[in-house]
Amino acid sequence: MASASATYEIKSEHGEVINTSTGLSNKKLLMWAFLGSDVMFFGSFIATFLVYRNRSLVGPYPADILDIPITSVSTFVLLMSSLAMVLALSYVQEGRKKLGTLWIFAVVVLGAIFLLFQVYEFNHFAKVGLTPRTNLFGTTFFILTGLHGAHVTLGVLWLMFLGFGSIKGTLRADNAIDLELAGLYWHFVDIVWIVIFTVIYLISARDVAPPGSVPWVPGAH
Amino acid sequence: MSNFLNKILYHDGRGWWDLPRTQWQEPNPKMEGPLGDGIAPIKRIWEITTAANLHHGTPAFYVLIGAILSIITIVEVWAFAWLFLGDLLVPLMLVLSLGKFVLVVGFFMHLKFDRKYYAWIFTACMVIGIGIFVALLLLLNYGGQVQQ
């Protein structure tokens, strides 16, 4: 008797073998469901940041410390990594191994550069006196951007693994779905940063000490 | 000149874009723009800029999307740094951010070209996520003062 949850195989236009029990790729369906859950995850932290916005009683406050030009560059780097990612997938699906591998490692390098920017920023903030324990801004800022950084780190490691797989020949056009899943994850990390950059850096960057709080004096911590 | 414009504006499989034609036997219906059968040249531009009727873009098309994303980011930073918009800053930033979000999700994540079910799953989770977001804002804003 046929089972209602029977899994069978179909072939995509790129010759990939896709396991499915719904007509959709099981792997891809799982990835989209995971990304959906991550939307809720990050949505909660972004909401928390906004709820606690302008409620810190001691500095440093966003206007004292956020550096928009530097973060704009790192944002640009992450956007370009998304472009590199989609190019990598396109070439791997076409079976153009060298170009595919090159663009996969371009994503890895751009992701690593973004992480270096974040390490520099965290280090700089800690030096001038903003840590997760300093005030509500510090707590919500470090948790939100730190969790995003952890996602980027995982993505870099994942893509590095796939890049070496492409060199060895284990990542090919017929199993490019593996790279597509990593790509979906990577683009999701990018769109989360688009929201974080807007909410934290552009909308909140001019937030000064709220009424009743202590203005921040550099070097006084 | 007309040949140059043809190459830019029409994706007939021979131009710079080299975008494939629609496979009409595909079970998914073609993705039409809001213009329907309106003025042909405008419809053509809409099809090119949204990659309508196509399964996926080409490298050149993705580079175009990357360029648009870069320009939007530059506009954001420019508006933030040099335009003192006051209360207009937040809505402007949200609109520009939404534009980038849609471009990445639609084209880089292939939702525009892929099965509708994936878009439904993601949209449903987005709606729940936004619900959590709004609920948290309301709950914590009206739930008493929290200060440190």
Side-chain angles (χ1 to χ4, degrees), chain A residues 61-75:
Chain A
Y61 306 99
D64 301 322
I65 202 163
L66 292 179
D67 191 336
I68 301 302
I70 284 183
T71 317
S72 303
V73 174
S74 68
T75 301

Side-chain angles (χ1 to χ4, degrees), chain A residues 92-111:
Chain A
V92 169
Q93 284 177 335
E94 287 176 15
R96 297 166 76 176
K97 183 181 166 183
K98 279 186 183 171
L99 274 172
T101 309
L102 178 76
W103 283 109
I104 291 172
F105 280 107
V107 182
V108 170
V109 169
L110 290 168

